[in-house]
Amino acid sequence: ESWMNKGGGHHMGWRYGTSYSVPYPYLNWKFATNEESWFSDWQKENVYFFIYAHRSSEIKNTFPFFGDIPQGSTYYIADRTALNIVTNAYIYGNKHAQWFYNLFSNKNRNNHWDILYRHFGDKEGEPPDDLPLSRHFPNSAFVIIRDTWDLDDNTLLVFKSSSFYSMVHHHKDQNA
């Protein structure tokens, strides 16, 4: 995971990639042992993969579709997506992660994660307005370009071009 997700993102996109990069083992290790944490730089950047790719709330808070992902299955829901984001806010104190998690907290609240990891208020966090409108996620091979941070009125361009092929959910979406 540390090489594949370096700089954030996952080569399998938002639904499958989120499943493979879920922080359960990292959280378990952190709180169950006195040993060095498994959290690393790639997880610190992971939240930006979600923030940059978030599509308008008018199209049901979705992320882009890639590979064999059925249309409509990349919604932001209180599952692994929310856990990745709230964990980023908790472990790294990331203000953008706090904002993004709070954006959906009333609609998609997962109370046990809130109790364990949401150590920030409903009004805390910073919108991504200070971030550039494009970002390259190098090893996961995505480039995401937005024309604005207005989540309800924007144009989103997502380009994928991996320098490697994997047998797991790596489809004919190269250079798409």
Side-chain angles (χ1 to χ4, degrees):
E1 291 294 322
S2 63
W3 181 86
M4 190 77 62
N5 298 327
K6 185 177 181 179
H10 198 285
H11 73 284
M12 290 188 232
W14 290 267
R15 178 50 55 203
Y16 287 122
T18 303
S19 298
Y20 285 93
S21 60
V22 72
Y24 289 125
Y26 305 95
L27 290 166
N28 290 342
W29 191 262
K30 178 177 178 56
F31 294 110
T33 73
N34 290 326
E35 296 181 25
E36 185 177 342
S37 174
W38 286 356
F39 282 95
S40 63
D41 289 342
W42 72 267
Q43 290 152 319
K44 187 175 186 177
E45 301 297 318
N46 190 38
V47 70
Y48 295 107
F49 194 54
F50 298 105
I51 292 173
Y52 271 85
H54 183 261
R55 297 169 70 189
S56 167
S57 58
E58 291 180 22
I59 46 179
K60 301 181 182 176
N61 298 317
T62 61
F63 299 103
F65 311 115
F66 272 89
D68 63 353
I69 302 294
Q71 190 154 351
S73 69
T74 57
Y75 297 126
Y76 178 102
I77 52 178
D79 67 347
R80 295 173 220 106
T81 307
L83 180 59
N84 273 306
I85 294 165
V86 75
T87 299
N88 190 282
Y90 174 67
I91 297 293
Y92 301 105
N94 185 312
K95 297 292 186 188
H96 295 122
Q98 292 172 0
W99 169 84
F100 198 58
Y101 190 77
N102 281 335
L103 187 64
F104 301 100
S105 64
N106 293 333
K107 300 176 195 171
N108 299 294
R109 181 69 47 99
N110 191 324
N111 290 327
H112 71 279
W113 291 340
D114 280 3
I115 292 167
L116 293 171
Y117 310 119
R118 190 171 185 266
H119 298 268
F120 52 91
D122 289 340
K123 303 290 184 199
E124 288 186 61
E126 295 175 12
D129 299 337
D130 63 325
L131 297 175
L133 292 173
S134 63
R135 185 156 178 158
H136 178 216
F137 298 90
N139 291 7
S140 62
F142 281 95
V143 173
I144 304 172
I145 302 169
R146 312 179 63 86
D147 69 335
T148 178
W149 281 113
D150 179 348
L151 297 182
D152 289 323
D153 185 22
N154 64 72
T155 300
L156 183 66
L157 179 125
V158 180
F159 180 73
K160 181 181 180 190
S161 184
S162 300
S163 60
F164 62 91
Y165 180 81
S166 69
M167 298 299 287
V168 183
H169 297 292
H170 212 136
H171 301 283
K172 295 180 181 180
D173 55 6
Q174 290 299 323
N175 302 315

